[in-house]
Amino acid sequence: MDEHEYIYQLRPLVIPGLFFLILYPFVLGCIHLFTKLPSIELRVLAGIYIVSMLGILALWVIGKSKRVLFKDQQIIFRSLLGEHVLKPKDIRRVAFYFDGKGQEIAQIRTGDIYYYMSEFYFPFPELMSDLENFIRQHSLRSNLQNYSGLNE
């Protein structure tokens, strides 16, 4: 199997956060202008803004580093939080699902730990093809046969 790397898309996660960071000061300024908020309330609202900004920044940094790599007959999940290497013998089951919005999700179970691959990874169709090939190559237990659209 060739080496393929898939990156995590941040746009669906970060764009709403950026809109919040841009609009919040304007809304807060308008509220303060018309109602003259007490200083303690203003400090609490400013603290919420700073915590939100730090959270969005952390989400962006961690998300920017997320990768899934198919290499040397193993699946490698990488991020700033660490690297997890999954060998075929470690994988107990792979399951494919659709969430409430109709988006495809792959769940890889290794013991008590679950790993998820969703449409946030780019390019997702190639990622799913590589995962299906990996499952077939190593005869892993999955719901691939029962999964509509993936039958051979």
Side-chain angles (χ1 to χ4, degrees):
M1 176 180 256
D2 294 336
E3 181 178 324
H4 294 128
E5 185 174 36
Y6 302 94
I7 60 171
Y8 199 73
Q9 295 180 5
L10 295 172
R11 187 172 300 171
L13 298 174
V14 174
I15 296 297
L18 290 177
F19 279 126
F20 169 77
L21 292 177
I22 292 168
L23 292 177
Y24 189 86
F26 291 117
V27 172
L28 186 61
C30 291
I31 291 172
H32 182 65
L33 183 68
F34 293 116
T35 61
K36 296 295 183 198
L37 293 172
S39 66
I40 188 75
E41 289 178 8
L42 201 54
R43 286 182 182 154
V44 168
L45 292 172
I48 291 171
Y49 180 77
I50 291 170
V51 168
S52 299
M53 181 174 53
L54 293 174
I56 292 168
L57 180 65
L59 178 69
W60 181 77
V61 168
I62 292 169
K64 195 73 171 162
S65 70
K66 286 182 77 169
R67 305 263 192 271
V68 173
L69 181 67
F70 286 84
K71 179 181 178 183
D72 299 331
Q73 302 300 318
Q74 52 191 359
I75 302 172
I76 303 168
F77 290 89
R78 287 185 184 159
S79 76
L80 285 179
L81 301 176
E83 183 175 284
H84 302 278
V85 178
L86 303 180
K87 296 178 182 171
K89 65 179 177 142
D90 300 332
I91 298 173
R92 291 182 60 189
R93 179 173 169 78
V94 179
F96 296 90
Y97 301 102
F98 284 101
D99 67 1
K101 298 177 184 175
Q103 295 176 336
E104 186 177 11
I105 296 174
Q107 177 191 60
I108 301 173
R109 182 176 182 188
T110 62
D112 295 336
I113 302 173
Y114 294 90
Y115 297 90
Y116 294 93
M117 291 184 226
S118 68
E119 293 183 5
F120 286 124
Y121 285 98
F122 180 80
F124 185 70
E126 287 83 353
L127 173 63
M128 287 293 105
S129 296
D130 276 353
L131 183 59
E132 292 165 19
N133 291 336
F134 188 82
I135 290 168
R136 287 188 182 108
Q137 260 183 346
H138 301 288
S139 302
L140 297 174
R141 198 171 128 215
S142 74
N143 65 342
L144 193 59
Q145 295 79 8
N146 302 331
Y147 188 64
S148 64
L150 295 178
N151 296 333
E152 294 181 312

PDB file of all heavy atoms in Angstrom, residues 109-120:
ATOM      1  N   ARG A 109     -12.171   0.706  16.220  1.00  0.00           N
ATOM      2  CA  ARG A 109     -12.113   0.348  17.634  1.00  0.00           C
ATOM      3  C   ARG A 109     -10.868  -0.485  17.910  1.00  0.00           C
ATOM      4  O   ARG A 109     -10.610  -1.471  17.242  1.00  0.00           O
ATOM      5  CB  ARG A 109     -13.340  -0.445  18.027  1.00  0.00           C
ATOM      6  CG  ARG A 109     -13.343  -0.790  19.489  1.00  0.00           C
ATOM      7  CD  ARG A 109     -14.591  -1.477  19.889  1.00  0.00           C
ATOM      8  NE  ARG A 109     -14.531  -1.741  21.319  1.00  0.00           N
ATOM      9  CZ  ARG A 109     -15.399  -2.469  21.963  1.00  0.00           C
ATOM     10  NH1 ARG A 109     -16.404  -2.994  21.316  1.00  0.00           N
ATOM     11  NH2 ARG A 109     -15.262  -2.667  23.246  1.00  0.00           N
ATOM     12  N   THR A 110     -10.099  -0.048  18.889  1.00  0.00           N
ATOM     13  CA  THR A 110      -8.928  -0.789  19.356  1.00  0.00           C
ATOM     14  C   THR A 110      -9.052  -0.920  20.864  1.00  0.00           C
ATOM     15  O   THR A 110      -8.785   0.027  21.590  1.00  0.00           O
ATOM     16  CB  THR A 110      -7.619  -0.061  19.027  1.00  0.00           C
ATOM     17  OG1 THR A 110      -7.619   1.185  19.711  1.00  0.00           O
ATOM     18  CG2 THR A 110      -7.452   0.166  17.559  1.00  0.00           C
ATOM     19  N   GLY A 111      -9.479  -2.055  21.324  1.00  0.00           N
ATOM     20  CA  GLY A 111      -9.652  -2.222  22.768  1.00  0.00           C
ATOM     21  C   GLY A 111     -10.722  -1.277  23.278  1.00  0.00           C
ATOM     22  O   GLY A 111     -11.861  -1.313  22.851  1.00  0.00           O
ATOM     23  N   ASP A 112     -10.347  -0.393  24.181  1.00  0.00           N
ATOM     24  CA  ASP A 112     -11.287   0.562  24.761  1.00  0.00           C
ATOM     25  C   ASP A 112     -11.252   1.920  24.074  1.00  0.00           C
ATOM     26  O   ASP A 112     -11.972   2.828  24.462  1.00  0.00           O
ATOM     27  CB  ASP A 112     -10.995   0.756  26.249  1.00  0.00           C
ATOM     28  CG  ASP A 112     -11.228  -0.514  27.040  1.00  0.00           C
ATOM     29  OD1 ASP A 112     -12.015  -1.359  26.575  1.00  0.00           O
ATOM     30  OD2 ASP A 112     -10.620  -0.672  28.118  1.00  0.00           O
ATOM     31  N   ILE A 113     -10.395   2.088  23.084  1.00  0.00           N
ATOM     32  CA  ILE A 113     -10.217   3.381  22.425  1.00  0.00           C
ATOM     33  C   ILE A 113     -10.896   3.363  21.058  1.00  0.00           C
ATOM     34  O   ILE A 113     -10.776   2.394  20.311  1.00  0.00           O
ATOM     35  CB  ILE A 113      -8.720   3.721  22.279  1.00  0.00           C
ATOM     36  CG1 ILE A 113      -8.051   3.744  23.654  1.00  0.00           C
ATOM     37  CG2 ILE A 113      -8.546   5.058  21.572  1.00  0.00           C
ATOM     38  CD1 ILE A 113      -6.545   3.894  23.601  1.00  0.00           C
ATOM     39  N   TYR A 114     -11.601   4.445  20.760  1.00  0.00           N
ATOM     40  CA  TYR A 114     -12.257   4.603  19.472  1.00  0.00           C
ATOM     41  C   TYR A 114     -11.597   5.747  18.707  1.00  0.00           C
ATOM     42  O   TYR A 114     -11.328   6.799  19.277  1.00  0.00           O
ATOM     43  CB  TYR A 114     -13.748   4.931  19.647  1.00  0.00           C
ATOM     44  CG  TYR A 114     -14.545   3.812  20.256  1.00  0.00           C
ATOM     45  CD1 TYR A 114     -14.698   3.711  21.636  1.00  0.00           C
ATOM     46  CD2 TYR A 114     -15.136   2.856  19.452  1.00  0.00           C
ATOM     47  CE1 TYR A 114     -15.424   2.692  22.198  1.00  0.00           C
ATOM     48  CE2 TYR A 114     -15.876   1.821  20.004  1.00  0.00           C
ATOM     49  CZ  TYR A 114     -16.018   1.746  21.373  1.00  0.00           C
ATOM     50  OH  TYR A 114     -16.740   0.721  21.928  1.00  0.00           O
ATOM     51  N   TYR A 115     -11.366   5.532  17.419  1.00  0.00           N
ATOM     52  CA  TYR A 115     -10.846   6.568  16.534  1.00  0.00           C
ATOM     53  C   TYR A 115     -11.906   6.824  15.471  1.00  0.00           C
ATOM     54  O   TYR A 115     -12.527   5.877  14.976  1.00  0.00           O
ATOM     55  CB  TYR A 115      -9.539   6.118  15.867  1.00  0.00           C
ATOM     56  CG  TYR A 115      -8.431   5.871  16.852  1.00  0.00           C
ATOM     57  CD1 TYR A 115      -8.235   4.621  17.414  1.00  0.00           C
ATOM     58  CD2 TYR A 115      -7.585   6.904  17.232  1.00  0.00           C
ATOM     59  CE1 TYR A 115      -7.228   4.402  18.334  1.00  0.00           C
ATOM     60  CE2 TYR A 115      -6.575   6.684  18.142  1.00  0.00           C
ATOM     61  CZ  TYR A 115      -6.406   5.429  18.688  1.00  0.00           C
ATOM     62  OH  TYR A 115      -5.401   5.217  19.602  1.00  0.00           O
ATOM     63  N   TYR A 116     -12.096   8.097  15.125  1.00  0.00           N
ATOM     64  CA  TYR A 116     -13.128   8.455  14.166  1.00  0.00           C
ATOM     65  C   TYR A 116     -12.531   9.185  12.970  1.00  0.00           C
ATOM     66  O   TYR A 116     -11.628   9.994  13.122  1.00  0.00           O
ATOM     67  CB  TYR A 116     -14.178   9.365  14.830  1.00  0.00           C
ATOM     68  CG  TYR A 116     -14.954   8.656  15.912  1.00  0.00           C
ATOM     69  CD1 TYR A 116     -14.551   8.706  17.232  1.00  0.00           C
ATOM     70  CD2 TYR A 116     -16.092   7.924  15.582  1.00  0.00           C
ATOM     71  CE1 TYR A 116     -15.251   8.045  18.217  1.00  0.00           C
ATOM     72  CE2 TYR A 116     -16.807   7.267  16.560  1.00  0.00           C
ATOM     73  CZ  TYR A 116     -16.386   7.326  17.880  1.00  0.00           C
ATOM     74  OH  TYR A 116     -17.086   6.671  18.855  1.00  0.00           O
ATOM     75  N   MET A 117     -13.078   8.876  11.809  1.00  0.00           N
ATOM     76  CA  MET A 117     -12.737   9.598  10.588  1.00  0.00           C
ATOM     77  C   MET A 117     -14.046  10.102  10.003  1.00  0.00           C
ATOM     78  O   MET A 117     -14.985   9.337   9.829  1.00  0.00           O
ATOM     79  CB  MET A 117     -12.049   8.681   9.582  1.00  0.00           C
ATOM     80  CG  MET A 117     -10.678   8.243  10.005  1.00  0.00           C
ATOM     81  SD  MET A 117      -9.932   7.286   8.698  1.00  0.00           S
ATOM     82  CE  MET A 117      -9.305   5.933   9.628  1.00  0.00           C
ATOM     83  N   SER A 118     -14.090  11.387   9.729  1.00  0.00           N
ATOM     84  CA  SER A 118     -15.310  11.987   9.201  1.00  0.00           C
ATOM     85  C   SER A 118     -14.980  12.836   7.981  1.00  0.00           C
ATOM     86  O   SER A 118     -13.843  12.869   7.532  1.00  0.00           O
ATOM     87  CB  SER A 118     -15.974  12.848  10.273  1.00  0.00           C
ATOM     88  OG  SER A 118     -15.175  13.976  10.544  1.00  0.00           O
ATOM     89  N   GLU A 119     -15.983  13.515   7.483  1.00  0.00           N
ATOM     90  CA  GLU A 119     -15.804  14.332   6.291  1.00  0.00           C
ATOM     91  C   GLU A 119     -14.957  15.573   6.537  1.00  0.00           C
ATOM     92  O   GLU A 119     -14.717  16.349   5.622  1.00  0.00           O
ATOM     93  CB  GLU A 119     -17.173  14.706   5.713  1.00  0.00           C
ATOM     94  CG  GLU A 119     -17.900  13.483   5.183  1.00  0.00           C
ATOM     95  CD  GLU A 119     -19.231  13.807   4.534  1.00  0.00           C
ATOM     96  OE1 GLU A 119     -19.569  14.996   4.407  1.00  0.00           O
ATOM     97  OE2 GLU A 119     -19.929  12.854   4.169  1.00  0.00           O
ATOM     98  N   PHE A 120     -14.496  15.758   7.771  1.00  0.00           N
ATOM     99  CA  PHE A 120     -13.587  16.871   8.051  1.00  0.00           C
ATOM    100  C   PHE A 120     -12.186  16.609   7.505  1.00  0.00           C
ATOM    101  O   PHE A 120     -11.381  17.515   7.415  1.00  0.00           O
ATOM    102  CB  PHE A 120     -13.503  17.159   9.543  1.00  0.00           C
ATOM    103  CG  PHE A 120     -14.728  17.835  10.094  1.00  0.00           C
ATOM    104  CD1 PHE A 120     -15.414  17.260  11.146  1.00  0.00           C
ATOM    105  CD2 PHE A 120     -15.194  19.023   9.569  1.00  0.00           C
ATOM    106  CE1 PHE A 120     -16.539  17.869  11.670  1.00  0.00           C
ATOM    107  CE2 PHE A 120     -16.321  19.637  10.080  1.00  0.00           C
ATOM    108  CZ  PHE A 120     -16.997  19.056  11.127  1.00  0.00           C
TER     109      PHE A 120
END
